Amino acid sequence: MNMDDVKRYEYRYFCESESCEKARGYMDSISTLTRIEYPNPITETVYFTHGLRFQYQTPKDLVVRIRRYVAQETEVLEINHEPVFLEVKMTQEGIANIKKRLLINGVDAINILTRTEQESRADKILLEIGGIPPLVPTGATQSHRYHWTHTSGIRITLDQDIRFFLFQGCLYKARLIENLGESKLEFKFPKSGTENLDIKQQIIARCGCAKRDFDYLERRSKECLVKNSQKTSEP
């Protein structure tokens, strides 16, 4: 298992999905930005919660998730023995974040988080999440991610057509339930003092993006999960 520590500063914005083509075209036209192409452009993120059914509580000040990159969008998201990134994200004032990231077998990642403290104590200490209750995978997102880098080292990502998935009755498989209808634009700075606010404001103004609360996507996901869970539980 390989562990990485990542500290960076992030700014997050959202725009209507219909504006994505315009946003991509504009960023491609900026000479100081370079588009980076990856063979697996689809980003999938699985979120973990605890507590009573329909409440979907998250650990305080933490985001615990599995992330992987695949070639195509699907209607069913299934975690198997292929490698994934198990990530723990700690935010500071909604901008700076410190991330523990572990490259691990997907089934093993879920087992670490869903087991009791005693059963997976060493792994949870490594991730600095010792003491939290057992978690369960409850929801996931999937989107097509576009990447750019700036000459100053800033990274920009655009997640197009974010879709929500729900885990029901199985720890390793989720099904598509809803399309958010929005896309996410993020600016990622390697350290304090490297924020290129001019390029950020220039892109935001041109593409019609709006700033949301830092937990906006997680909150929308939770709302979607609660609505669909209650719907499927009705007689």
Side-chain angles (χ1 to χ4, degrees), residues 64-84:
V64 181
R65 66 192 187 188
I66 284 176
R67 173 159 287 178
R68 70 178 182 182
Y69 304 94
V70 298
Q72 296 179 336
E73 291 182 336
T74 59
E75 302 295 307
V76 177
L77 190 158
E78 186 169 2
I79 300 298
N80 51 34
H81 291 281
E82 295 295 319
V84 299

Side-chain angles (χ1 to χ4, degrees), residues 13 76 167 206:
Y13 298 82
V76 177
F167 287 85
R206 185 67 176 267

Side-chain angles (χ1 to χ4, degrees), residues 15-106:
C15 62
E16 298 296 325
S17 292
E18 293 78 7
S19 303
C20 267
E21 186 173 347
K22 175 183 176 182
R24 292 201 314 269
Y26 180 63
M27 286 188 281
D28 283 340
S29 72
I30 299 175
S31 61
T32 53
L33 290 179
T34 301
R35 170 92 75 95
I36 307 297
E37 302 283 354
Y38 291 100
N40 294 321
I42 307 302
T43 298
E44 295 181 339
T45 306
V46 177
Y47 293 97
F48 291 79
T49 62
H50 66 88
L52 298 176
R53 192 180 183 197
F54 303 148
Q55 290 187 3
Y56 299 112
Q57 300 175 54
T58 56
K60 183 175 175 56
D61 300 324
L62 291 177
V63 175
V64 181
R65 66 192 187 188
I66 284 176
R67 173 159 287 178
R68 70 178 182 182
Y69 304 94
V70 298
Q72 296 179 336
E73 291 182 336
T74 59
E75 302 295 307
V76 177
L77 190 158
E78 186 169 2
I79 300 298
N80 51 34
H81 291 281
E82 295 295 319
V84 299
F85 289 105
L86 172 53
E87 299 179 342
V88 178
K89 196 172 186 179
M90 293 156 274
T91 61
Q92 299 172 352
E93 299 178 356
I95 297 177
N97 73 76
I98 301 172
K99 183 189 298 181
K100 294 286 184 181
R101 182 169 57 189
L102 181 66
L103 183 62
I104 187 175
N105 174 299

Side-chain angles (χ1 to χ4, degrees), residues 5 10 37 53 101 119 150 172 199-200 212 224:
D5 287 334
E10 298 179 353
E37 302 283 354
R53 192 180 183 197
R101 182 169 57 189
E119 292 173 318
H150 188 263
Y172 310 102
I199 190 71
K200 179 171 73 73
R212 307 288 193 192
C224 182

Side-chain angles (χ1 to χ4, degrees), residues 98-141:
I98 301 172
K99 183 189 298 181
K100 294 286 184 181
R101 182 169 57 189
L102 181 66
L103 183 62
I104 187 175
N105 174 299
V107 172
D108 290 344
I110 289 180
N111 291 341
I112 287 172
L113 297 175
T114 56
R115 289 172 179 163
T116 65
E117 178 76 11
Q118 185 175 2
E119 292 173 318
S120 58
R121 179 175 176 80
D123 294 308
K124 288 184 176 179
I125 289 175
L126 180 65
L127 290 163
E128 297 184 10
I129 56 173
I132 68 171
L135 301 172
V136 293
T138 46
T141 59

Side-chain angles (χ1 to χ4, degrees), residues 167-180:
F167 287 85
Q168 284 186 306
C170 179
L171 293 176
Y172 310 102
K173 185 181 294 186
R175 298 188 181 277
L176 176 67
I177 55 174
E178 193 167 320
N179 193 317
L180 177 64

